[in-house]
Amino acid sequence: LNLIIHNLESLLPNSRCIVLRSTGPVFSSGHDLTQLANSSPDTRHLIFSRSNSLMLLLATSSVPVIASVDGLATAAGCRLVAACHIALCTQNSEFATPGVNIGLFCSTAGVQVGRAVNRKLALDMLISG
């Protein structure tokens, strides 16, 4: 995340637009739950803090940030899409918060997803996966 944030911060002043896209079937799967489960509270705090910094950088960018989604975006990946100014999605695009199926509520995506789409639709996705 540090490298991504650094690269974005260096690109933004000289850019007219930033486009985020994936090269595979998954746009963004969010955090690695295995990594989080096996890490210390301090490490988890650092990971979520850097993730939050990235999302705020995108959401407050002075140039448009476009998510070009052609695949799966889950959990924090949903928040990544919602943090962008524009989301362009294909019919292959899917959005989910599957952590709720194992007892994890994805609050990180909740705020920005709730702002980007109808509140009731966002809540349905966030509590049902």
Side-chain angles (χ1 to χ4, degrees):
L1 284 176
N2 289 333
L3 181 60
I4 293 169
I5 291 169
H6 173 75
N7 287 342
L8 278 171
E9 287 174 335
S10 65
L11 287 172
L12 285 172
N14 301 312
S15 299
R16 294 175 59 189
C17 177
I18 300 288
V19 178
L20 304 178
R21 67 179 181 88
S22 65
T23 57
V26 176
F27 176 79
S28 175
S29 60
H31 300 293
D32 180 341
L33 296 180
T34 303
Q35 176 191 21
L36 291 175
N38 296 320
S39 63
S40 70
D42 287 342
T43 299
R44 287 192 296 273
H45 176 75
L46 179 63
I47 291 168
F48 287 124
S49 175
R50 296 310 293 161
S51 176
N52 192 49
S53 295
L54 173 61
M55 303 305 174
L56 288 173
L57 178 64
L58 296 174
T60 61
S61 168
S62 60
V63 300
V65 180
I66 300 170
S68 176
V69 184
D70 182 34
L72 183 63
T74 61
C78 287
R79 184 178 180 205
L80 178 64
V81 174
C84 296
H85 298 101
I86 298 170
L88 302 174
C89 305
T90 68
Q91 290 181 338
N92 297 326
S93 301
E94 295 181 61
F95 300 89
T97 55
V100 297
N101 297 321
I102 58 171
L104 300 173
F105 181 74
C106 186
S107 62
T108 58
V111 173
Q112 286 178 306
V113 172
R115 289 179 182 161
V117 299
N118 175 293
R119 192 185 83 171
K120 290 182 180 181
L121 291 175
L123 184 59
D124 179 56
M125 181 182 71
L126 292 169
I127 62 175
S128 68

